Amino acid sequence: MIVRFFHRMASPMHFYRIAGLFVPWLGVLSAALLLAGLYGGLVLAPTDYQQGESYRIIFIHVPAAWMSLFIYVVMAAGGLISLVWRIKLAEVIAISSAPIGASFTFLALVTGSLWGKPMWGTWWVWDARLTSELILLFLYLGVIALYGAIEDKRVAARAVAILALVGVVNIPIIHYSVEWWNTLHQPATITKFDKPSIHLSMLVPLLLMALAFKLYYATVVLMRARCEVLERERNSRWVQSLVEPAAR
Amino acid sequence: MSTLSLSSAFVLLLRRDLVLAYRRRAELMNPLLFFVLVTSLFPLGIGNDPKLIQAVGSGVIWVAALLAALLSLDSMFRSDFDDGSLEQFMLSAHPVSILVLAKVLAHWLVTGLPLLLVAPLLGVLLALPGDAIGVLMLTLILGTPVLSLIGAVGVALTVGLRRGGVILSLLVLPLYVPVLIFGADAMETAAAGIPATAQLSFLGALLALSLALAPMATAASLRVSLS
Amino acid sequence: MKEFFAMGGYAFYVWTSYGLALVVLTINLLAPIRQRRRLLTDIARRMRRARRER
């Protein structure tokens, strides 16, 4: 049964309909988790003895940073599947994930700097994690720019798939070399930017937020994928019957 | 019809590119002049205090080397793409990644390696100590092929675009970061008198990795952008 | 309630980051909805024009 499900999912029409069914449920679930996470993080979690209230920014910063990496890996996996098995659906998912990943990376960067300001008095610190996040943002922007630059969307999608694969191979290398670079030029004044010791009452909202972000990503990527499918299949019969069922 | 063996095809392609490049000798100077020019701009910006320039020196040289390599990347496939010989290479019986390796090797010999000729001059310009210049040349020998190999993937992806230049730098520069970090750091530790074997071995590892993977990625990208 | 919003003096930083998160999430949510509506109307218009020419 599962194989049949995936088999039918490959056809754009079925994907469009099935994704349409999933989107509202995923959306409601992610909203619920988001509210629970926010309530846990902002209200229940105790004040941090070191950083006072400003540490509450981690409930946005850390899940967003996790998401930025997670989405890039999903994009690369989608690219791999579309290149190797020629499944158009994987291409569509990879293309639709790029802007979402970029916005999560941007969110992680800005919240990281907003969290850094009260702690060290500067908006930007060349810290290992923030620097890797910045380079990840450039990788995302490269993917989006490449997709935009090539007119033929089929060729563009496969070019982006290769770029995402090359990027995902480079991410650990870049991260390691930035860590190496950071430990070398460690200015004595700024303390190491480590996560505060996670107390259970802080960990639970953090995980809730991470899960909420993942479900949110699933919802939005399916919505974008449906638009992409509509765009690609615009003159196929099922799209036209979808648009004007009566007038056919 | 005697089919060419792989190695003779490789050598043939390599010689063809070197002869083509040799015919336009004047153009070979451009990356060198750019490298020296960019490096000499920095002291104008920073001021002529030798200690300051020396502190910044290794980073400046490596950023300039990166930009010089990036600038010269476009010529790798452009002429072959325009006159259609790139498609002929793709149709050959031999694995495309080996032919791509020949083209990248030719491109490196013509644009990457000559940067070494200028390195001692830059060492003097930026008041680098003696052994730092030696390590600079070592890092350039190990680093510039990596720049050409990774750059080849970016060029292959953007070869079909009319205005691919800007996008090429956006795609390729983030991937150059590890080479920049280890290259500049090797020089800095050498300037401080500490042997920079760790950084050089990392550069060697980067070279081995990109030598193994980049041609395949470039071949796949060429197949995609020419389809 | 008031000290909740004060956030121990870090109100500006905490609420800006939460506000930005809300903005980013809603933009990403609305973009596909708007795009889908625009696509459907565009396809419908194109079909009407095609039918008028026949």
Side-chain angles (χ1 to χ4, degrees):
Chain A
M1 220 296 282
I2 299 291
V3 173
R4 208 168 61 75
F5 170 79
F6 274 109
H7 192 64
R8 280 180 52 223
M9 274 290 259
S11 92
M13 183 166 66
H14 286 288
F15 169 75
Y16 186 84
R17 201 167 47 75
I18 293 167
L21 298 178
F22 272 97
V23 162
W25 293 103
L26 284 172
V28 165
L29 200 56
S30 71
L33 280 174
L34 201 65
L35 290 177
L38 283 177
Y39 183 72
L42 287 174
V43 177
L44 298 185
T47 321
D48 184 71
Y49 62 93
Q50 261 176 342
Q51 302 164 18
E53 301 297 339
S54 72
Y55 89 97
R56 292 186 193 281
I57 299 179
I58 64 164
F59 296 119
I60 297 284
H61 174 66
V62 172
W66 286 342
M67 281 311 287
S68 60
L69 199 58
F70 172 76
I71 292 178
Y72 201 95
V73 171
V74 167
M75 193 166 64
L80 182 71
I81 294 169
S82 75
L83 281 176
V84 172
W85 289 289
R86 284 284 190 286
I87 299 178
K88 280 209 306 295
L89 188 60
E91 227 172 63
V92 164
I93 297 284
I95 297 300
S96 321
S97 319
I100 309 168
S103 28
F104 270 123
T105 323
F106 171 74
L107 184 62
L109 274 173
V110 174
T111 47
S113 112
L114 275 169
W115 186 18
K117 176 75 169 116
M119 271 211 289
W120 305 309
T122 55
W123 285 109
W124 177 256
V125 166
W126 283 99
D127 160 73
R129 266 193 294 264
L130 282 180
T131 317
S132 315
E133 199 71 34
L134 182 66
I135 297 172
L136 184 59
L137 181 63
F138 290 137
L139 287 175
Y140 269 114
L141 295 179
V143 164
I144 295 171
L146 183 64
Y147 186 69
I150 302 176
E151 290 80 19
D152 174 355
K153 285 314 161 201
R154 290 274 148 61
V155 171
R158 290 174 65 211
V160 159
I162 294 177
L163 183 61
L165 279 173
V166 169
V168 90
V169 166
N170 274 288
I171 282 181
I173 301 170
I174 290 174
H175 187 70
Y176 179 77
S177 50
V178 168
E179 292 274 348
W180 165 286
W181 162 81
N182 187 47
T183 50
L184 281 171
H185 304 281
Q186 182 66 50
T189 51
I190 297 177
T191 56
K192 187 100 180 49
F193 180 24
D194 50 18
K195 261 201 271 280
S197 57
I198 290 291
H199 185 264
L200 194 62
S201 64
M202 297 178 196
L203 185 60
V204 165
L206 196 64
L207 295 178
L208 274 176
M209 289 296 281
L211 200 56
F213 276 9
K214 280 198 170 36
L215 287 174
Y216 168 84
Y217 161 63
T219 330
V220 177
V221 83
L222 286 182
M223 288 161 74
R224 273 185 187 274
R226 292 179 79 212
C227 294
E228 188 71 25
V229 161
L230 264 185
E231 174 70 35
R232 286 184 182 209
E233 306 283 326
R234 58 180 17 213
N235 27 37
S236 69
R237 186 188 308 278
W238 67 274
V239 168
Q240 302 199 333
S241 65
L242 196 73
V243 168
E244 276 179 357
R248 276 308 297 157
Chain B
M1 200 274 283
S2 71
T3 58
L4 275 168
S5 75
L6 183 56
S7 54
S8 53
F10 184 90
V11 169
L12 195 71
L13 193 55
L14 185 63
R15 218 175 60 244
R16 166 190 178 267
D17 276 1
L18 290 179
V19 164
L20 278 178
Y22 186 71
R23 286 211 187 97
R24 287 178 273 103
R25 276 190 303 286
E27 261 179 43
L28 299 187
M29 288 299 291
N30 296 350
L32 294 182
L33 295 180
F34 178 83
F35 189 29
V36 175
L37 183 61
V38 167
T39 313
S40 40
L41 282 182
F42 277 86
L44 295 172
I46 297 173
N48 56 10
D49 160 22
K51 269 193 311 306
L52 192 60
I53 294 178
Q54 202 172 19
V56 172
S58 54
V60 158
I61 286 189
W62 255 96
V63 168
L66 223 67
L67 297 179
L70 183 66
L71 199 68
S72 56
L73 273 182
D74 203 47
S75 65
M76 193 185 289
F77 295 127
R78 180 59 61 197
S79 54
D80 290 343
F81 176 77
D82 294 342
D83 62 18
S85 52
L86 198 55
E87 272 106 12
Q88 303 312 321
F89 294 144
M90 303 292 289
L91 299 175
S92 83
H94 302 295
V96 179
S97 48
I98 305 298
L99 300 181
V100 159
L101 198 58
K103 286 198 75 61
V104 171
L105 180 59
H107 176 265
W108 175 65
L109 287 175
V110 166
T111 55
L113 209 53
L115 296 184
L116 263 82
L117 307 179
V118 185
L121 168 68
L122 298 180
V124 169
L125 274 178
L126 296 179
L128 289 180
D131 48 15
I133 299 178
V135 169
L136 164 62
M137 302 180 84
L138 257 178
T139 52
L140 282 177
I141 292 176
L142 288 174
T144 41
V146 180
L147 301 181
S148 295
L149 281 162
I150 299 180
V153 179
V155 174
L157 284 171
T158 58
V159 74
L161 307 177
R162 283 175 309 285
R163 303 171 313 284
V166 179
I167 288 196
L168 176 63
S169 46
L170 182 61
L171 299 187
V172 163
L173 279 178
L175 305 176
Y176 279 177
V177 161
V179 179
L180 171 64
I181 288 178
F182 286 119
D185 185 46
M187 280 177 55
E188 225 171 287
T189 38
I194 312 157
T197 44
Q199 294 84 348
L200 289 175
S201 50
F202 272 118
L203 277 177
L206 283 176
L207 175 59
L209 186 72
S210 41
L211 205 59
L213 297 180
M216 277 190 293
T218 317
S221 327
L222 280 178
R223 230 174 269 114
V224 163
S225 41
L226 292 181
S227 66
Chain C
M1 199 48 194
K2 206 178 69 54
E3 81 285 349
F4 170 77
F5 286 109
M7 270 295 163
Y10 296 113
F12 168 71
Y13 303 109
V14 174
W15 295 117
T16 331
S17 40
Y18 276 83
L20 180 71
L22 188 67
V23 164
V24 166
L25 293 182
T26 34
I27 290 176
N28 269 302
L29 193 65
L30 296 184
I33 296 174
R34 212 160 32 86
Q35 191 193 359
R36 183 168 168 274
R37 196 171 301 134
R38 218 173 337 105
L39 259 172
L40 290 178
T41 46
D42 179 48
I43 294 171
R45 198 171 353 97
R46 214 176 286 266
M47 277 171 58
R48 266 197 303 283
R49 200 180 316 131
R51 195 175 318 106
R52 208 171 308 117
E53 275 140 22
R54 255 204 302 276

